Structure formats: C-alpha cells, structure tokens
Amino acid sequence: MSRRIESVSDAISKAPMAIRLTPHILSVIDWSDPVNDPIRRQFIPLGSELLLDHHGLKLDSLNEEHNSPVKGLVHRYPTKALFLVGANTDTVTKNSLKPTKRRWDEVFNYIENTPQLNDIVVSGGDSFYLSPEQLYDIGKRLLEIPHIRRFRFATKGLAVVPCRILDPQDTWSAALIAISDMGKKMGKAVAVHTHFNHPNEITWITRLAAQKLFENGVTVRNQTVLLRGVNDNVAVMKRLIQNLADINILPYYVYQGDMVRGVEDLRTPLSTILDLEAQIRGSISGFMTPQFIVDLPGGGGKRLASSYKDYNRITGVSTFVAPAVTGDPNTVFKYHDPVWSITSH
C-alpha cells in the first residue's frame, strides 16, 4: 500500500495540470479494483503508469500564448475567442489568471473593440471556480456587447460535483439560469460545455442535476477526450454517447488527446479515433453523434480527425491543413502518435 501511495504522490508531483478531487469522484471509483478502474485512471495518476514523452510534446502544444492579444484571452479563430480563468500547479509556471476586475476589463475592452468576434468561450480552468456573482457579471457583460451573439461556460462541474447544481443554498446554477434566460430574451445563445469521459461518471445525482438544467432551458453540450484505458473502445464510447443523449446533454466533441507533456500513457494513436468513428457513426441519431476531432499542434485549431491529408500508421505521423484558421492552404500541421503505439508495430 505504501508503494502505491508513493507512486500516486510521484505522479501528482509531475502532473502538467492541477489535480483536485471531489467526494463525488472518489465515490464513483471502484475501490475493490482501483488500479484498473477507468475513473481512477483519468483522475489519479500512478507513477508506475507514466511513459516517456514523445520528443514533439510540449506544455503549450496548441500555441495559445502566441494567439493572446491581451492577458487572459486567446483569439485564434476569426470570430471566436477564449476567455481564460485558470490555476497553477507546482510543476507548471503559468501567468496568473486569477479573476480580477482589472484583467477582466482588459479582456472586455478587447472584445468590445473587435467587432468580428461573435462567439466567446469562458474556460481555461473551470467556470465552476467562479463565484455566482462573477459568473453573472461575466455573462451579463458579454450579453451587453452587441456583436457577441453566443457564448458558453466551460466546466467539468456537472461531472465532478453535480450536487452543487441542486444545492438551494448555492446560487451558482441560479446565476447560470438567469444569464441563459436573459440571453434568450435578447435572441442570444448561452450554453454550458461540460466534460464526461466515461459512462460511470453519470450517476443518479448527475441525472437530477442535468434534468434541472434541462427544465430551466439551459443548453448543455459535452466534450470528451479520448483516453487510453478509459474510453478507447467502441462499447464504452457508444454507451457514453447514448447515456449523455438520454439526459439531454448533447455529445458535441470527442477530442484526440493533445500532444502535451506528462500524459503520454493516456494518449492513443490517431487510428483509434478513426476506427471509433467508423464503428459508431450511424448507430445513433446524427444530431446526437459527436464530431471526432484533433486540435492541431502548433495552432491549427480543430479539424475532423478523418480530414487528415496523409497518415502513415507505421511512423505514426499524420498531417493536416487548416486554411480557414491560417489563411494558407499550404501550411502543414503534424500530429504524432504516442511512442508506445509506434514501437508496438
């Protein structure tokens, strides 16, 4: 047991992202077999599972800092920007993105003075970290900007602490519903983007929380990350998609794992997401079938995994172009499969 604890401590100290566990997540782990449990695998790393990083991996694989015109905002796509809230870990030095009025004012000023923007994502950490007052203030100010037609709050909260949505003494969900209602009256779309990776994360209390948001007209979409040993087989992914659809959470994206350091044991080769889509598409209604995508390293943005220009399954290298993002149809972005999948051929 002590070796296992040491293995967890070692892995957490090397994690590229902050690890915070809620009682809800701890309660859904199968503690009779935690090593093989898919929930444990995605939330509690073991040092014994860590693999050497691919030489092409880095922390900011998506090149977000290059696309940040002001601190706390990423503007990569012509009409869409990412409004960041964030946190630090012991091993990753990030610019402080704690919510402050002055930083928010800089972000809002940029948005207000960039009329081509019409779509904002509030993320870069988790919107659940915002107080109800902060959530409401951000939403209201975005709604008041004439050219902003839609925005969404990105949060894993519905997956990791659904009881907060139901707690009558916690006004976070009330603030969200108020902003959603205000948006509807203005003809603007407000949504929540949440993050379920495995069907075991969907519990009875999750269903109640999702029903509350649905009854109150809040649009909820899900973004899943494809993770080795968690959801990288047809049966699990199909069950996840179906279970989300059944509680009126729209399965929106399934992401290929980003090329970031410290998670090589969780990445899958591109062939996995291609095979999953081939076997899942057509088994559920089209409007409930997610897009299977790659967020291209180097700032190419999101592309359908199946839209690769070339894919060598032996070398594990796939290439993509993103002319709508770069303005150049000849700029090539490369995605590298994890080393373990290449050496296994």
Side-chain angles (χ1 to χ4, degrees):
M1 178 63 73
S2 62
R3 288 185 178 179
R4 286 276 163 77
I5 293 174
E6 290 175 2
S7 181
V8 170
S9 298
D10 177 56
I12 289 177
S13 69
K14 297 175 181 177
M17 299 181 67
I19 295 177
R20 302 288 185 269
L21 301 178
T22 65
H24 177 81
I25 285 299
L26 292 172
S27 74
V28 296
I29 293 174
D30 179 5
W31 291 105
S32 67
D33 186 18
V35 173
N36 296 309
D37 184 78
I39 308 303
R40 190 287 305 167
R41 180 161 171 74
Q42 63 170 306
F43 284 98
I44 306 176
L46 292 176
S48 58
E49 293 176 337
L50 299 181
L51 299 175
L52 290 176
D53 287 336
H54 189 284
H55 66 84
L57 303 186
K58 58 182 183 177
L59 290 175
D60 183 19
S61 69
L62 304 182
N63 205 25
E64 290 185 338
E65 289 191 7
H66 177 73
N67 297 115
S68 295
V70 295
K71 185 177 179 180
L73 187 85
V74 178
H75 185 186
R76 169 174 296 141
Y77 303 97
T79 62
K80 185 178 77 174
L82 177 64
F83 187 151
L84 295 170
V85 294
N88 298 331
T89 70
D90 292 336
T91 59
V92 180
T93 301
K94 294 183 179 180
N95 292 329
S96 175
L97 297 176
K98 296 178 181 178
T100 63
K101 187 177 185 302
R102 185 174 66 178
R103 183 177 69 81
W104 284 0
D105 284 342
E106 293 176 356
V107 171
F108 283 123
N109 287 339
Y110 178 85
I111 295 172
E112 289 168 348
N113 290 299
T114 310
Q116 67 265 34
L117 283 175
N118 58 32
D119 190 346
I120 303 294
V121 181
V122 182
S123 181
D126 199 299
S127 295
F128 243 38
Y129 288 133
L130 297 171
S131 69
E133 294 77 17
Q134 292 169 332
L135 183 83
Y136 184 85
D137 288 345
I138 288 176
K140 185 173 182 293
R141 188 156 179 185
L142 287 174
L143 288 173
E144 290 171 346
I145 300 174
H147 52 268
I148 298 302
R149 303 302 307 170
R150 64 196 64 85
F151 62 88
R152 56 268 202 191
F153 295 104
T155 175
K156 197 170 172 64
L158 186 59
V160 299
V161 59
C163 57
R164 186 180 184 192
I165 300 292
L166 300 168
D167 185 352
Q169 296 183 337
D170 189 324
T171 58
W172 193 93
S173 59
L176 172 66
I177 292 167
I179 290 299
S180 174
D181 289 344
M182 190 184 304
K184 286 182 173 64
K185 292 177 181 178
M186 300 172 69
K188 298 187 176 187
V190 177
V192 170
H193 281 197
T194 192
H195 184 185
F196 290 87
N197 288 328
H198 193 277
N200 289 2
E201 294 173 66
I202 302 173
T203 67
W204 65 271
I205 197 165
T206 311
R207 294 183 178 91
L208 290 178
Q211 178 63 20
K212 177 179 177 178
L213 296 178
F214 182 67
E215 286 181 10
N216 285 277
V218 178
T219 299
V220 183
R221 306 185 187 104
N222 187 70
Q223 301 186 139
T224 293
V225 177
L226 182 58
L227 300 172
R228 180 187 179 210
V230 175
N231 56 18
D232 58 336
N233 70 75
V234 173
V236 170
M237 185 62 75
K238 186 181 291 187
R239 184 156 56 96
L240 173 64
I241 293 169
Q242 184 66 63
N243 290 358
L244 288 168
D246 287 349
I247 58 174
N248 299 296
I249 295 177
L250 182 68
Y252 180 39
Y253 281 149
V254 174
Y255 282 94
Q256 177 72 5
D258 287 344
M259 289 181 55
V260 295
R261 294 175 186 166
V263 293
E264 191 73 344
D265 58 305
L266 292 171
R267 282 208 305 135
T268 66
L270 187 74
S271 58
T272 300
I273 198 169
L274 297 174
D275 294 343
L276 283 175
E277 180 177 12
Q279 296 185 63
I280 290 174
R281 187 167 295 282
S283 67
I284 189 172
S285 300
F287 67 91
M288 281 296 181
T289 301
Q291 297 185 58
F292 295 80
I293 67 167
V294 180
D295 207 346
L296 296 177
K302 301 176 183 66
R303 306 295 291 176
L304 291 174
S306 58
S307 69
Y308 62 85
K309 298 290 289 183
D310 180 69
Y311 180 29
N312 187 320
R313 298 194 182 207
I314 303 300
T315 63
V317 179
S318 52
T319 60
F320 297 80
V321 295
V325 176
T326 63
D328 181 5
N330 298 313
T331 299
V332 174
F333 298 88
K334 293 183 178 181
Y335 184 89
H336 295 266
D337 288 349
V339 172
W340 66 261
S341 68
I342 301 169
T343 56
S344 65
H345 285 298

